[in-house]
Amino acid sequence: MSQTILAFDFGLNSIGCAVGQSITGTAQPLAAFKAQDGIPNWEAIGTLLKEWQPDLLVVGLPLNMDGSEQPLTQRAKKFANRLHGRFQLQVTLHDERLTTVEARAEIFSRGGFKALKKDKVDSISACLILESWFETA
């Protein structure tokens, strides 16, 4: 049974987003959401959720390379809890170590330095988070 899953790469100024299908295990980037100190436009996220009707939401969990938490870890957990509370959808957290580095490398290889726009990096990071989640689910 195919599931539609949305992934988020949480950040204080921008929250990347991607959509994927469990049957293919692949993801595609969607537009990133602007955020102010980690608070997004919840109406815009609600509109996106109505459009895609996801079965599950995956939020990237920022950790240090040794697996310990960093200041952004608790903020990402809070964002995940708010997604669940506001929209009554199942939310899971997924380790996102190195996704931003991988996203930058992928974008740079396709379009050079000029292609490294923040919103693109965040949404490609969300794709990588989701595809990594598919590999472990």
Side-chain angles (χ1 to χ4, degrees):
M1 185 170 115
S2 180
Q3 289 186 307
T4 299
I5 301 169
L6 288 178
F8 296 92
D9 178 34
F10 177 79
L12 296 179
N13 299 315
S14 177
I15 299 170
C17 189
V19 63
Q21 298 293 323
S22 60
I23 199 159
T24 62
T26 58
Q28 67 183 43
L30 298 174
F33 295 94
K34 297 260 185 253
Q36 289 190 322
D37 195 31
I39 300 169
N41 176 336
W42 289 109
E43 262 184 53
I45 289 180
T47 299
L48 180 83
L49 296 176
K50 283 180 190 166
E51 178 184 345
W52 288 99
Q53 297 288 306
D55 299 290
L56 174 70
L57 305 177
V58 176
V59 175
L61 186 64
L63 298 168
N64 292 316
M65 290 309 294
D66 65 1
S68 63
E69 292 191 358
Q70 55 177 281
L72 203 55
T73 306
Q74 288 304 318
R75 300 287 300 268
K77 287 179 179 180
K78 188 175 183 179
F79 173 72
N81 288 337
R82 286 190 173 154
L83 279 172
H84 173 70
R86 284 177 181 263
F87 303 108
Q88 302 305 306
L89 292 167
Q90 182 183 351
V91 180
T92 189
L93 296 164
H94 185 72
D95 183 349
E96 68 165 38
R97 282 178 278 186
L98 297 180
T99 56
T100 300
V101 173
E102 287 179 44
R104 286 180 186 278
E106 184 173 320
I107 292 169
F108 186 81
S109 72
R110 290 183 188 178
F113 184 75
K114 289 182 181 177
L116 288 175
K117 293 188 174 125
K118 178 72 174 129
D119 59 337
K120 282 188 180 179
V121 171
D122 292 336
S123 290
I124 296 292
S125 292
C127 282
L128 295 170
I129 290 165
L130 186 50
E131 288 175 353
S132 171
W133 182 84
F134 283 136
E135 290 171 9
T136 59

